[in-house]
Amino acid sequence: MNYRKFGKSGWKVSEIGYGMWGMAGWTGSEEKEVNQALDRAIELGCNFFDTAWAYGDGLSESILNKTLKRHTDKRLYVATKIPPKNRKWPSRPEFALKDVFPADYIIEYTEKSLKNLGLEQIDLQQFHVWEDGWSNQDEWKEAITKLTSQGKVASWGVSVNRWEPDNCLQTLHTGLISAVQVIYNIFDQNPDDHLLPLCRELDVAVIARVPFDEGTLTGTFTRETRFPANDWRSTYFVPENLNASVEHADALKPLIPQGMTMAEVALRFILCNQDIATTIPGMRKLRNVESNMSASDGNTLPAKLLDQLKMHRWDRKPTQWSQ
Ligand SMILES: NC(=O)c1ccc[n+]([C@@H]2O[C@H](COP(=O)([O-])OP(=O)(O)OC[C@H]3O[C@@H](n4cnc5c(N)ncnc54)[C@H](OP(=O)(O)O)[C@@H]3O)[C@@H](O)[C@H]2O)c1
C-alpha cells in the first residue's frame, strides 16, 4: 500500500481508502463478511475510512466503531458526515442554510457521530451535501469553529453533490475546509477543470469517491441488471441511466489490458492523478478488498492507455433520478 499526504493535515493516508456506504443501505450485506473485509483491508494497509451518519442511521458508524476497537494498535483515520437536516439529497441552491445545517444541528449530529464511532475526536467531519451559496454565511462557521476548539473534530470537509464539482469553490477560499470529497472516475473527470487545480493551490485534500460509478465501471452490469426495490440503486439505475451507463462501460472494454479487470483499470486511472489523496471504493466482499488494495503497488498505467481513457470522459448534469 502506498500512502499520500492528506492536504495540510500531516496525515499519510492509504491511497486506497474504504467506502462504507454499501454495508448499511445497499441490499446483500452480510455482517460477518463485512467485518472480515474491513479487517483484511487494514491488514493490507488501508488506514482511511469514509462513513456517514446517514449510512443506516448510525449503523455504518457503529460497524466502524467495532472495527477500530479490533485494531487499537493502528492509526486509522475516520471520516464521517452530517446528514442534511431536511434529509434531501442533493441540496439545491434555493435551500436555506438554516433548513439544512443550522448551528445547533451541526453540533447535535457531531455528538451523535462521536457516540456511534466511540471516539473523543473525529478526524474529518464532512457536510453530506453542500451549496456554495452558503460560503459567506456565518452560522456554520461558528459551529465548526466551536467543535474544533473543543477538540471534537480535527478537520472539516465538504462532500460535493453528484456532478456538481464546482459547487464548493468559494467555500474552499474560507480556509475552513481541509478536504473535499468528489465523484472522480474514468467517466467523471470534470473535477479536473476547476476543483482539482484549486485544491492543489490551497492544499486541500481530495477524496475521490464512487471510483466505479456505483458499479458500472466494474464492467459487470448489463441492460438486464436489476436491484431489489429496497436497494437505492433501483431508483438510481432507471432504464435511462442503466442503458447509457452500460453503453459507456462497454465502449471501454476493448481498452482493458489482458490480465487486468475493468475495476483495476478504474482504480489505477484515479491513482495516476497526484491531486487525489485517496480513493474510497465501496466494498463488502473480501475478494473486492483484496483486489482493490492490490491496485496500490506503485505501477501507473501506460501513458497511451491513460490518454485513451481520458477520451471516455462523460459529462453529466444532475437530473430527477441522479440523487
Ligand atoms: N454524497 C456522498 O458523500 C457519497 C455518495 C456516494 C458515495 N460516497 C462514498 O463513496 C464510497 C464509494 O462509492 P460507492 O460505494 O457508492 O460506489 P463505488 O465505489 O463506485 O462502487 C461500489 C460497488 O462496486 C463493487 N466493487 C468494489 N470493488 C469491486 C471489484 N474489485 N470488482 C467488482 N466490483 C467491485 C462493490 O461491491 P461490494 O459492495 O459487493 O463489495 C459495490 O457494489 C461510498 O461507500 C461512500 O463511502 C459518498
Side-chain angles (χ1 to χ4, degrees):
M1 178 63 71
N2 290 299
Y3 296 83
R4 296 190 184 191
K5 177 179 157 293
F6 195 81
K8 296 192 198 76
S9 65
W11 309 340
K12 287 282 186 188
V13 300
S14 52
E15 58 186 15
I16 307 284
Y18 205 118
M20 295 188 62
W21 181 16
M23 57 194 61
W26 300 27
T27 52
S29 288
E30 209 267 292
E31 193 184 332
K32 194 166 160 225
E33 181 164 33
V34 160
N35 287 329
Q36 283 172 347
L38 283 157
D39 290 345
R40 185 72 181 128
I42 294 166
E43 268 169 40
L44 294 171
C46 178
N47 71 358
F48 186 85
F49 296 82
D50 178 70
T51 181
W53 183 89
Y55 301 162
D57 295 358
L59 176 61
S60 172
E61 290 180 327
S62 66
I63 292 172
L64 183 54
N65 178 343
K66 289 182 210 134
T67 305
L68 297 173
K69 292 208 166 78
R70 292 196 298 277
H71 298 274
T72 48
D73 55 324
K74 300 257 168 58
R75 175 64 169 105
L76 303 175
Y77 295 96
V78 172
T80 191
K81 311 186 194 82
I82 306 170
K85 187 175 182 187
N86 61 3
R87 298 291 188 270
K88 292 209 164 87
W89 279 267
S91 55
R92 298 191 182 282
E94 63 271 22
F95 288 2
L97 181 66
K98 68 174 172 44
D99 297 327
V100 188
F101 293 124
D104 56 348
Y105 174 86
I106 293 172
I107 292 167
E108 180 190 343
Y109 271 75
T110 298
E111 302 279 3
K112 278 187 203 278
S113 290
L114 281 166
K115 196 163 168 227
N116 292 337
L117 290 160
L119 292 172
E120 301 283 313
Q121 184 181 63
I122 294 167
D123 295 309
L124 180 69
Q125 176 65 301
Q126 306 160 101
F127 291 99
H128 208 150
V129 298
W130 194 254
E131 289 303 324
D132 217 15
W134 299 332
S135 65
N136 55 9
Q137 298 186 36
D138 289 336
E139 209 177 337
W140 66 272
K141 297 178 190 168
E142 286 161 12
I144 76 171
T145 305
K146 183 172 174 189
L147 286 163
T148 306
S149 67
Q150 290 174 336
K152 293 181 177 172
V153 174
S155 57
W156 291 87
V158 163
S159 186
V160 282
N161 301 342
R162 189 185 299 274
W163 304 331
E164 302 177 38
D166 294 348
N167 196 357
C168 66
L169 301 181
Q170 285 309 315
T171 307
L172 299 189
H173 284 289
T174 63
L176 294 168
I177 297 299
S178 307
V180 170
Q181 182 174 140
V182 64
I183 297 188
Y184 184 71
N185 57 45
I186 296 172
F187 294 153
D188 297 296
Q189 298 179 39
N190 48 358
D192 278 328
D193 299 344
H194 309 291
L195 180 61
L196 300 191
L198 183 62
C199 289
R200 198 183 313 141
E201 181 192 324
L202 300 175
D203 204 7
V204 167
V206 179
I207 303 166
R209 78 170 190 255
V210 192
F212 304 128
D213 187 44
E214 311 293 8
T216 70
L217 278 170
T218 63
T220 56
F221 282 29
T222 68
R223 285 181 173 74
E224 283 68 49
T225 298
R226 296 287 180 272
F227 297 98
N230 60 342
D231 187 312
W232 80 279
R233 290 172 293 181
S234 67
T235 58
Y236 178 70
F237 285 113
V238 295
E240 181 190 343
N241 188 20
L242 179 67
N243 293 340
S245 301
V246 169
E247 199 176 304
H248 279 262
D250 284 351
L252 280 171
K253 285 183 177 166
L255 293 178
I256 308 304
Q258 232 184 353
M260 276 198 199
T261 61
M262 191 186 290
E264 183 181 342
V265 171
L267 288 180
R268 289 185 187 277
F269 173 84
I270 297 167
L271 296 182
C272 282
N273 190 330
Q274 290 303 317
D275 288 333
I276 305 298
T278 184
T279 183
I280 49 168
M283 299 174 282
R284 296 170 295 174
K285 306 249 173 8
L286 202 51
R287 66 163 189 274
N288 288 344
V289 164
E290 295 194 332
S291 121
N292 295 344
M293 296 300 146
S294 71
S296 171
D297 58 5
N299 293 325
T300 53
L301 292 175
K304 185 174 168 218
L305 176 56
L306 196 57
D307 286 345
Q308 288 169 318
L309 293 171
K310 283 185 182 162
M311 307 289 286
H312 286 259
R313 172 173 166 155
W314 179 19
D315 286 345
R316 294 173 272 187
K317 293 270 172 257
T319 67
Q320 256 184 328
W321 47 260
S322 59
Q323 303 173 44

